[in-house]
Amino acid sequence: MPRSLERLSGEVWLYPGDPDPALVQGCVGVIATPEGSVVVDAGQSPAMARDVQAAIAEAGLPKATHLVYTHHHWDHTWGACAWDGVEVIGHETGAEILAEQAKLPWSPDYLEAEIAANNKLEPSYGGRHFAMKDCWDGFTIVPPHRTFTDRLELPGGIEVRHVGGNHAPDSSVVVVPEASVMLLGDAFYPPPFHLRKMDDTTDLAMIRAFLAEDFEWYVDAHNPPRRRRSVKLAAGLMTAAGRFRRRPRP
């Protein structure tokens, strides 16, 4: 069901994701600038992208001019073909991956065949199947039109920074200093399920590095936005739990 944008801080707005993890529908950020709105992540499908566009218009925000990928995973990029006339920006590593993925014969039959060959793909490929529904006509994967290596500055003082990590090699964060907001994508998450090993965990070192910058709001794609003190507490609890697990048995 279409949602409305929610204002987070300053000119940073969020289109909420769905709390059901099986739907793999994260939030989309919208940063309003005098030159136009900067959208952070494309949405998981063309249908979701169109819902975000309607929400931008409903909120009276400027039309989107830039779309930033936090990383190449499908739930952050598959809506891009519905963002007509918008410059798509992403890390150079992700651009190479998406260019290769764009060559694949994406369709319901292809997804089902891939799941049959490797059942670990079911959460990801099944999520794509559900998200796309009747959106396959005209669907294409869109590699970035503009790439960057380390960081990039956009209108409105917006900073895009590459952070890498285990979740995706191209993971990047979007920083809005004036609003004291950092949009994290999935940067500190472990790898996707089909690539995950037993010892893959949340990247606490990365979280601590983000917290050291002392922003007020931290937004990852699949959870509600959190204030700094809430993230710090959660990271502290996870660290303590890890220390406890590593204690030898008596």
Side-chain angles (χ1 to χ4, degrees):
M1 178 178 294
R3 299 173 174 83
S4 297
L5 289 178
E6 299 174 359
R7 193 170 198 162
L8 179 64
S9 176
E11 292 306 316
V12 179
W13 301 67
L14 296 177
Y15 186 88
D18 196 295
D20 183 352
L23 300 181
V24 203
Q25 185 184 99
C27 69
V28 170
V30 178
I31 308 159
T33 82
E35 292 83 2
S37 290
V38 176
V39 178
V40 180
D41 285 329
Q44 56 157 207
S45 66
M48 183 179 178
R50 287 189 284 270
D51 287 343
V52 177
Q53 291 161 14
I56 290 173
E58 179 186 42
L61 301 185
K63 190 174 180 180
T65 53
H66 299 81
L67 167 62
V68 179
Y69 291 154
T70 60
H71 60 297
H72 70 277
H73 290 165
W74 74 275
D75 53 316
H76 300 259
T77 60
W78 273 31
C81 59
W83 290 96
D84 296 333
V86 175
E87 182 181 35
V88 180
I89 297 167
H91 189 260
E92 58 187 10
T93 304
E96 295 173 4
I97 296 170
L98 288 169
E100 290 302 310
Q101 291 185 353
K103 300 174 184 178
L104 297 174
W106 297 105
S107 67
D109 288 344
Y110 177 73
L111 294 174
E112 290 172 4
E114 290 295 294
I115 293 170
N118 179 2
N119 62 12
K120 287 187 176 181
L121 289 172
E122 201 284 327
S124 173
Y125 281 36
R128 300 177 207 219
H129 200 316
F130 181 82
M132 290 297 290
K133 297 179 183 175
D134 299 322
C135 299
W136 291 102
D137 287 347
F139 170 72
T140 184
I141 290 176
V142 180
H145 305 136
R146 185 177 9 158
T147 63
F148 65 98
T149 303
D150 296 316
R151 59 178 60 207
L152 180 70
E153 186 166 327
L154 295 176
I158 299 165
E159 303 169 15
V160 186
R161 307 175 188 169
H162 176 242
V163 296
N166 288 334
H167 186 71
D170 59 320
S171 280
S172 304
V173 298
V174 179
V175 179
V176 191
E178 188 173 315
S180 198
V181 173
M182 181 179 276
L183 300 163
L184 308 174
D186 301 347
F188 61 87
Y189 291 9
F193 175 74
H194 64 285
L195 301 174
R196 197 171 301 173
K197 301 180 181 65
M198 287 292 292
D199 57 349
D200 285 325
T201 59
T202 299
D203 192 334
L204 293 176
M206 184 181 286
I207 294 175
R208 287 192 289 268
F210 294 153
L211 290 170
E213 298 203 52
D214 204 26
F215 290 106
E216 177 63 19
W217 287 100
Y218 292 87
V219 185
D220 70 271
H222 297 281
N223 289 289
R226 295 180 180 179
R227 292 185 182 271
R228 182 181 187 278
R229 60 179 178 271
S230 174
V231 179
K232 187 175 181 180
L233 175 61
L237 290 172
M238 284 188 284
T239 301
R243 286 198 300 266
F244 177 79
R245 284 194 298 269
R246 287 194 292 271
R247 289 175 184 167
R249 292 182 181 274

